């Protein structure tokens, strides 16, 4: 779903109305400029905007951060409503999924690292219909935590010491792919004390999602292909050697995706099709 073009801006305007901010209204040019200047960070978008037009006169300086969070909370609620009721799927995506399923190619939809939240992401996925959903797998936070990689990284349900956990999992890794996962996690955990940024934590979560998706599909990561619209998803896939296709949206139509193996504007026709993915050499 092209949420940026069809929903995000409208959801912000609905949030402004709900909070009685009559002076705030984002036209497409205003929204596009804020996205560009903030690199898509919604908190920064609001700060930039209200620094430009002026903050509500009754708002103390100390209350700016809670105010921004309240706008984002209302915006999220509005976006969920829009996605459930009125926003369409991207043209061609249903045929793309059907073609993959008909050719016996596993389709995994990752909702775990969606910036809009897993609940919103799953509401979009449900638009595919029950019959189509019965043929694909949806990987959310719960599935990631239960995966081998998720258990190693996040430590859910493991009571032994870290060294014992890694040694035990390494012994259990019968295949070369599982062995590689254990070694990667061991390396990650050794350096984790030197990493303390939200971007690296987000990248770690995306890597875990991609690993879980490959595990559930029962396909090595290098034989999977990520189709994504975010640079963070593409960067995580590059980190683990997963081939990746960038799918542009209305607000990334001119963006560069240096980590992508291919860049497409949409599904079907001259753009992204299953036959093109199967014909391309990814090594």
């Amino acid at each position: 779903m092209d949420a940026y073009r069809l929903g995000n801006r409208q959801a912000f305007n609905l949030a402004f109305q709900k909070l009685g901010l009559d002076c705030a209204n984002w036209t497409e040019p205003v929204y596009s400029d804020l996205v560009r200047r903030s690199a898509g960070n919604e908190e920064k978008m609001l700060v930039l905007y209200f620094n430009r037009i002026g903050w509500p006169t009754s708002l103390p300086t100390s209350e700016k951060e809670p105010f921004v969070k309240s706008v984002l909370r209302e915006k999220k609620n509005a976006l969920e409503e829009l996605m459930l009721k009125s926003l369409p799927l991207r043209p061609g995506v249903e045929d793309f999924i059907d073609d993959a399923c008909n050719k016996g190619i596993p389709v995994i939809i990752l909702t775990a690292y969606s910036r809009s939240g897993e609940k919103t992401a799953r509401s979009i996925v449900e638009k595919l219909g029950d019959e189509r959903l019965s043929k694909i797998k949806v990987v959310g936070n719960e599935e990631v935590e239960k995966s081998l990689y998720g258990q190693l990284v996040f430590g859910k349900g493991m009571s032994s010491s870290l060294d014992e956990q890694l040694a035990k999992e390494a012994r259990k890794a019968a295949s070369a792919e599982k062995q590689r996962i254990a070694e990667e996690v061991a390396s990650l955990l050794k350096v984790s004390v030197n990493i303390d940024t939200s971007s690296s934590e987000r990248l770690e979560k995306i890597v875990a999602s991609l690993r879980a998706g490959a595990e559930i599909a029962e396909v090595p990561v290098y034989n999977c292909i990520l189709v994504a619209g975010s640079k963070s998803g593409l960067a995580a896939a590059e980190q683990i050697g997963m081939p990746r296709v960038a799918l542009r949206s209305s607000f990334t139509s001119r963006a560069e995706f240096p980590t992508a193996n291919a860049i497409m504007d949409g599904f079907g026709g001259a753009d992204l099709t299953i036959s093109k993915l199967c014909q391309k050499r990814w090594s």
Side-chain angles (χ1 to χ4, degrees):
M1 182 177 285
D2 192 345
Y4 275 110
R5 180 173 68 88
L6 298 170
N8 235 31
R9 181 179 68 86
Q10 189 178 349
F12 269 112
N13 286 334
L14 289 170
F16 295 147
Q17 293 173 20
K18 181 78 177 290
L19 295 170
L21 302 170
D22 298 330
C23 62
N25 181 63
W26 288 359
T27 61
E28 284 206 12
V30 168
Y31 181 76
S32 299
D33 179 61
L34 291 170
V35 169
R36 179 184 57 81
R37 293 176 61 197
S38 67
N41 183 303
E42 294 185 341
E43 284 193 26
K44 288 183 181 178
M45 289 169 66
L46 288 167
V47 171
L48 286 168
Y49 180 69
F50 284 105
N51 280 345
R52 181 192 304 171
I53 71 162
W55 295 79
T57 53
S58 60
L59 186 71
T61 303
S62 61
E63 294 296 314
K64 285 184 178 180
E65 185 176 341
F67 168 76
V68 166
K69 291 190 181 304
S70 70
V71 174
L72 291 177
R73 187 163 52 249
E74 290 298 336
K75 177 259 173 184
K76 182 181 178 183
N77 293 337
L79 185 59
E80 287 178 2
E81 287 294 316
L82 286 170
M83 287 180 170
L84 283 169
K85 292 180 178 178
S86 59
L87 298 187
L89 296 172
R90 291 183 70 138
V93 66
E94 291 161 304
D95 291 339
F96 178 84
I97 291 173
D98 290 343
D99 194 18
C101 293
N102 290 337
K103 288 181 168 62
I105 298 171
V107 177
I108 307 291
I109 297 183
L110 303 175
T111 61
Y113 75 87
S114 170
R115 284 188 178 275
S116 300
E118 185 174 357
K119 179 183 175 183
T120 302
R122 284 187 179 270
S123 72
I124 298 173
V125 173
E126 288 171 2
K127 289 177 176 282
L128 292 170
D130 292 340
E131 183 179 352
R132 198 170 281 113
L133 284 173
S134 69
K135 300 175 183 177
I136 66 179
K137 299 284 179 61
V138 180
V139 175
N141 293 324
E142 183 179 351
E143 288 79 9
V144 172
E145 290 175 0
K146 288 181 178 178
S147 69
L148 170 66
Y149 190 86
Q151 289 182 64
L152 285 167
V153 171
F154 303 119
K156 294 294 178 73
M158 291 189 174
S159 57
S160 55
S161 71
L162 182 59
D163 289 341
E164 290 172 344
Q165 292 169 19
L166 290 172
K168 180 180 178 181
E169 292 303 327
R171 287 194 300 269
K172 287 168 57 180
S175 69
E177 178 63 8
K178 287 185 178 180
Q179 179 65 37
R180 191 152 68 95
I181 291 174
E183 291 170 355
E184 180 182 341
V185 174
S187 174
L188 174 67
L189 292 171
K190 286 176 184 175
V191 300
S192 62
V193 0
N194 298 319
I195 301 173
D196 189 25
T197 66
S198 58
S199 60
S200 64
E201 289 172 2
R202 174 166 169 74
L203 193 68
E204 179 184 316
K205 289 180 179 178
I206 298 173
V207 166
S209 300
L210 297 175
R211 286 288 193 187
E215 183 181 321
I216 289 169
E218 298 182 343
V219 177
V221 292
Y222 52 80
N223 282 344
C224 297
I225 301 171
L226 174 70
V227 179
S230 70
K231 291 185 177 180
S232 55
L234 297 168
E238 181 188 35
Q239 181 175 306
I240 62 173
M242 180 182 289
R244 52 227 164 261
V245 175
L247 196 67
R248 286 186 169 124
S249 70
S250 55
F251 281 94
T252 58
S253 58
R254 298 182 181 178
E256 294 183 1
F257 294 93
T259 61
N261 298 105
I263 302 173
M264 297 289 179
D265 292 318
F267 293 100
D271 289 309
L272 185 60
T273 63
I274 291 298
S275 60
K276 286 180 182 176
L277 293 183
C278 293
Q279 291 167 11
K280 183 174 174 62
R281 293 182 177 274
W282 296 99
S283 56

